[in-house]
């Protein structure tokens, strides 16, 4: 008997609140699995889509099901899937913008390439915090047309280069620091002072207060005698200081941006990251097949930011989105259990 499926969906552009309704149970195509969602996380994209609608993505189809991060149990495997079997506990990136692959539903389709098995002692709430964060981080760090860094390993060797990551306590920053350190890079990052120790615990060697009036000059000074591996500008408003730093240091002058680059100085290259591209190139397999399984099993990768469980059930998705939109949550990832 086919299970019944429900979702928290946007019935039309800018609709508020999301409506919980019955939706079709999905079918797994080639290379896909169906996962019964146990935990799903909230991301800025979820409230931006709700607020801006067609101004942000004119091509979205409605009713629209959001949600990029899920953890749960495999209930079905599609043709040519060898990586997973029914009953496996997994975490994955939805990476689609259609009803089949939105995480805010009980049953979701995932592409096996961007899913990882999780250890038995890892809670689903913890496992749902990282897929979009690590995917966005990895796209900027490893894709050949971005920073093209050395690949991560559970036993990295220092390579003598220094990477700047602006907004280290953010979800993307949290994952980017861990990946860069696992790739052998020294990491400089920024945060508010209350998150300095958090960033150092991820492996950053220096943390700067991004609200300091001298932050740009302080980072340029710290880079003296160092070789730049480039930078990742994550926080809104960080392009200008990051471009200034990178224009004045020795080494790679490429900046991966979590937003559209603007006013890029001469001699600096910059490009916007889109996490979904990870499913279309070698970086998806690099992260979800080669790095994460061993790193999770050996506790070399921390599932952070820590989950802040907002509630249980699809009816709590809207409240969780509203909490994220309020900007009152720092160094935590809002999740809802299903």
């Amino acid at each position: 008997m086919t299970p019944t499926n429900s979702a928290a969906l946007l019935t039309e552009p800018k609709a508020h609140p999301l409506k919980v309704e019955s939706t079709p149970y999905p079918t797994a195509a080639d290379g896909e699995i169906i996962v019964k969602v146990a935990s799903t996380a909230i991301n800025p994209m979820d409230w931006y889509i709700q607020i801006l609608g067609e101004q942000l993505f004119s091509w979205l189809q409605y009713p629209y099901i959001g949600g990029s991060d899920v953890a749960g149990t495999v209930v079905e495997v599609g043709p040519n899937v060898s990586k997973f079997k029914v009953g496996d506990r997994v975490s994955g990136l939805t990476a689609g913008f259609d009803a089949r692959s939105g995480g805010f539903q009980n049953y979701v389709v995932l592409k096996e390439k961007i899913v990882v098995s999780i250890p038995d002692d890892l809670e689903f709430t913890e496992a749902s915090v990282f897929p979009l964060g690590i995917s966005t981080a990895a796209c900027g760090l490893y894709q050949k047309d971005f920073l093209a860094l050395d690949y991560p390993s559970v036993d990295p060797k220092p390579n003598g280069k220094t990477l700047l990551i602006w907004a280290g306590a953010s979800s993307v920053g949290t994952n980017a620091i861990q990946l860069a350190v696992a790739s052998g890079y020294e990491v400089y990052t920024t945060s508010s002072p209350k998150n300095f120790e958090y960033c150092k615990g991820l492996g950053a060697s220096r943390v700067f207060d991004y609200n300091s009036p001298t932050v740009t000059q302080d980072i340029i000074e710290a880079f003296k005698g160092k070789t730049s591996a480039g930078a990742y500008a994550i926080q809104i408003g960080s392009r200008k200081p990051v471009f200034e730093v990178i224009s004045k240091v020795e080494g790679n002058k490429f900046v991966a941006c979590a937003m559209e680059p603007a006013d890029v100085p001469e001699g600096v290259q910059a490009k916007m990251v889109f996490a979904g591209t990870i499913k279309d190139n070698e970086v998806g397999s690099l992260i979800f097949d080669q790095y994460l399984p061993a790193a999770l099993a050996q506790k070399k990768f921390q599932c952070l930011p820590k989950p802040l469980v907002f509630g249980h059930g699809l009816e709590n998705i809207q409240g969780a989105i509203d909490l994220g939109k309020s900007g009152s949550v720092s160094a935590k990832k809002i999740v809802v259990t299903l």
Side-chain angles (χ1 to χ4, degrees), residues 175-197:
N175 286 279
I177 292 171
Q178 292 194 81
L179 286 176
V181 171
S183 296
Y185 295 84
E186 178 183 36
V187 173
Y188 289 172
T189 194
T190 65
S191 75
S192 59
K194 69 179 180 182
N195 289 322
F196 279 9
E197 290 309 311

Side-chain angles (χ1 to χ4, degrees), residues 49-126:
I49 286 174
Q50 188 170 30
I51 294 167
L52 297 170
E54 291 164 316
Q55 293 167 257
L56 187 63
F57 298 131
S58 59
W59 40 264
L60 285 183
Q61 299 289 308
Y62 293 87
Y64 168 74
I65 302 173
S68 303
D69 292 314
V70 297
T73 306
V74 178
V75 293
E76 245 179 83
V77 296
N80 298 311
V81 171
S82 56
K83 204 167 123 184
F84 301 106
K85 63 183 187 305
V86 172
D88 283 352
R89 303 172 77 252
V90 297
S91 173
L93 176 69
T94 65
F97 283 92
D98 56 44
R100 296 171 71 246
S101 54
F104 299 156
Q105 59 186 323
N106 295 124
Y107 294 92
V108 65
V109 167
L110 298 177
K111 296 185 182 301
E112 69 166 339
K113 184 177 181 180
I114 44 177
V115 181
V116 63
S117 289
I118 58 172
D120 291 340
D121 61 351
L122 183 61
E123 298 285 341
F124 285 128
T125 50
E126 293 177 87

Side-chain angles (χ1 to χ4, degrees), residues 4-286:
T4 55
N5 193 24
S6 295
L9 48 84
L10 268 173
T11 52
E12 59 186 17
K14 303 184 184 180
H16 188 289
L18 299 177
K19 281 192 176 173
V20 177
E21 294 182 357
S22 293
T23 49
Y25 180 81
T27 302
D30 200 60
E32 295 179 338
I33 60 175
I34 297 175
V35 171
K36 187 175 193 308
V37 180
S39 180
T40 184
I42 308 299
N43 291 284
M45 188 61 69
D46 300 316
W47 61 81
Y48 289 143
I49 286 174
Q50 188 170 30
I51 294 167
L52 297 170
E54 291 164 316
Q55 293 167 257
L56 187 63
F57 298 131
S58 59
W59 40 264
L60 285 183
Q61 299 289 308
Y62 293 87
Y64 168 74
I65 302 173
S68 303
D69 292 314
V70 297
T73 306
V74 178
V75 293
E76 245 179 83
V77 296
N80 298 311
V81 171
S82 56
K83 204 167 123 184
F84 301 106
K85 63 183 187 305
V86 172
D88 283 352
R89 303 172 77 252
V90 297
S91 173
L93 176 69
T94 65
F97 283 92
D98 56 44
R100 296 171 71 246
S101 54
F104 299 156
Q105 59 186 323
N106 295 124
Y107 294 92
V108 65
V109 167
L110 298 177
K111 296 185 182 301
E112 69 166 339
K113 184 177 181 180
I114 44 177
V115 181
V116 63
S117 289
I118 58 172
D120 291 340
D121 61 351
L122 183 61
E123 298 285 341
F124 285 128
T125 50
E126 293 177 87
S128 67
V129 303
F130 67 80
L132 181 61
I134 200 170
S135 298
T136 308
C139 284
L141 298 181
Y142 302 115
Q143 285 184 165
K144 289 181 172 63
D145 53 342
F146 282 84
L147 287 163
L149 299 190
D150 299 339
Y151 286 172
S153 107
V154 291
D155 187 24
K157 304 286 185 291
N159 60 24
K161 294 178 182 175
T162 303
L163 180 77
L164 172 61
I165 296 171
W166 194 287
S170 65
S171 179
V172 175
T174 291
N175 286 279
I177 292 171
Q178 292 194 81
L179 286 176
V181 171
S183 296
Y185 295 84
E186 178 183 36
V187 173
Y188 289 172
T189 194
T190 65
S191 75
S192 59
K194 69 179 180 182
N195 289 322
F196 279 9
E197 290 309 311
Y198 173 82
C199 292
K200 287 177 182 172
L202 298 168
S205 70
R206 297 278 305 267
V207 190
F208 301 85
D209 179 0
Y210 46 47
N211 289 316
S212 166
T214 60
V215 62
T216 307
Q217 200 51 49
D218 292 344
I219 297 172
I220 292 169
E221 194 67 29
F223 260 99
K224 284 188 174 166
K226 305 280 186 181
T227 302
S228 161
Y232 204 142
I234 297 163
Q235 188 179 28
I236 299 295
S238 66
R239 289 175 304 201
K240 187 178 177 184
V242 172
F243 290 161
E244 187 177 345
V245 169
I246 292 304
S247 70
K248 293 179 178 173
V249 300
E250 296 297 319
N252 187 13
K253 296 190 180 294
F254 188 96
V255 180
C257 297
M259 71 299 291
E260 198 67 51
D263 302 318
V264 183
E266 193 176 341
V268 174
Q269 285 183 286
K271 193 173 172 184
M272 183 178 173
V273 176
F274 187 68
T277 55
I278 197 169
K279 70 183 187 299
D280 303 319
N281 57 48
E282 72 285 350
V283 178
S285 180
L286 163 70

